[in-house]
Amino acid sequence: MTPSFSLCVYCGSRPGLDPQFADMARTVGQWIGRHGGQLVYGGGKAGLMGLVAEATLQAGGRVVGIIPKALVEKEWALHDCTELHIVDTMHDRKRMMAERADAFVALPGGIGTFEELFEVWTWRQLGYHDKPVGILNSGGYYDGLLAFLAATVQQQFLSDWQMSLIQTGEEPVALLSSLVQAAGLAPAPRLEEI
C-alpha cells in the first residue's frame, strides 16, 4: 500500500515530565495511521519517539525508522517498524529522513529535536527542499523558543520571511492537517477522506 503522505516527526527519546506530551505523541501517531499516512522518524523505541511510532502502527499506518548503527548497538531501535534502516552516521540518518518525508513536525524534545528542526528549517530557507515545517507547541512547550525567535526578528538577525517558513500550532490535528495540505497532498475538503 502506498501511503497518502509521509510525515517526518522529530521528538524526544524521553517522555518528558508532563503526561500530556505522551498523550500528544500518541495523538500524532494515531492521526497519521488513521489517515493512511507514513511516519518517518529516528527509529527509537524510547520516550515520545517510541510512543508516536507504536501509535502509528496500531492505527494502521506505516513506520519508517532510520537509526545510526551505534544506537542500534545500544538496543535503542524499535524493531517493529514497517521499515527499519540502519545507517552509518547521524548525517546519513537526517538526510534519509528528509528524503523520505513530505513534511516535518517537531514535538517536544531535547537537543537532538532542536538540531533536527533547525537543520531542516535552514535547508528550506536555502532552497534545498520546499517541504512544510511545523512546530507542535502543545502545552506551551515551545513558548520560550518562539519568544526568542520573535526577538531575533526584532533584532534583525532573522527575517519575517524566514519565520513564515515555520507553521506553529497548539492542537495536533489542525497543525498536521495544515502541513499535509501545504505539502500539496490533500486539499482541505479532501483531507478527511484520506
Side-chain angles (χ1 to χ4, degrees):
M1 175 186 111
T2 302
S4 302
F5 59 88
S6 186
L7 184 63
C8 180
V9 175
Y10 302 126
C11 59
S13 60
R14 297 178 184 182
L17 182 62
D18 192 328
Q20 74 171 317
F21 298 138
D23 292 340
M24 180 203 40
R26 287 187 197 97
T27 298
V28 168
Q30 291 164 357
W31 189 91
I32 293 169
R34 288 179 184 153
H35 289 84
Q38 174 173 273
L39 167 68
V40 176
Y41 86 119
K45 65 181 179 183
L48 299 185
M49 291 177 71
L51 293 174
V52 74
E54 290 166 6
T56 301
L57 289 168
Q58 290 169 0
R62 289 179 46 82
V63 173
V64 176
I66 304 166
I67 190 166
K69 182 180 175 183
L71 297 183
V72 174
E73 291 169 355
K74 292 182 180 182
E75 299 182 355
W76 290 354
L78 179 67
H79 293 281
D80 296 336
C81 294
T82 312
E83 298 176 34
L84 181 63
H85 299 272
I86 300 170
V87 296
D88 290 329
T89 68
M90 290 294 282
H91 292 291
D92 294 336
R93 175 200 224 181
K94 292 184 294 181
R95 179 188 45 77
M96 189 174 193
M97 289 169 74
E99 289 171 352
R100 297 292 301 266
D102 299 314
F104 309 88
V105 65
L107 278 55
I111 192 168
T113 302
F114 306 151
E115 190 265 342
E116 290 168 324
L117 169 65
F118 277 90
E119 184 170 60
V120 79
W121 182 15
T122 300
W123 289 351
R124 175 135 192 224
Q125 70 123 14
L126 293 173
Y128 290 120
H129 71 83
D130 192 25
K131 301 173 183 182
V133 179
I135 296 174
L136 184 53
N137 189 29
S138 289
Y141 181 77
Y142 283 109
D143 284 351
L145 175 63
L146 295 172
F148 172 72
L149 293 173
T152 66
V153 172
Q154 187 177 39
Q155 294 297 323
Q156 299 181 3
F157 286 104
L158 202 61
S159 70
D160 289 326
W161 172 76
Q162 289 167 309
M163 283 300 298
S164 76
L165 300 177
I166 294 281
Q167 293 186 42
T168 62
E170 296 178 7
E171 203 282 310
V173 171
L175 180 61
L176 298 176
S177 299
S178 179
L179 291 170
V180 169
Q181 290 171 31
L185 300 171
R190 296 210 45 222
L191 186 61
E192 290 308 312
E193 296 174 20
I194 302 178

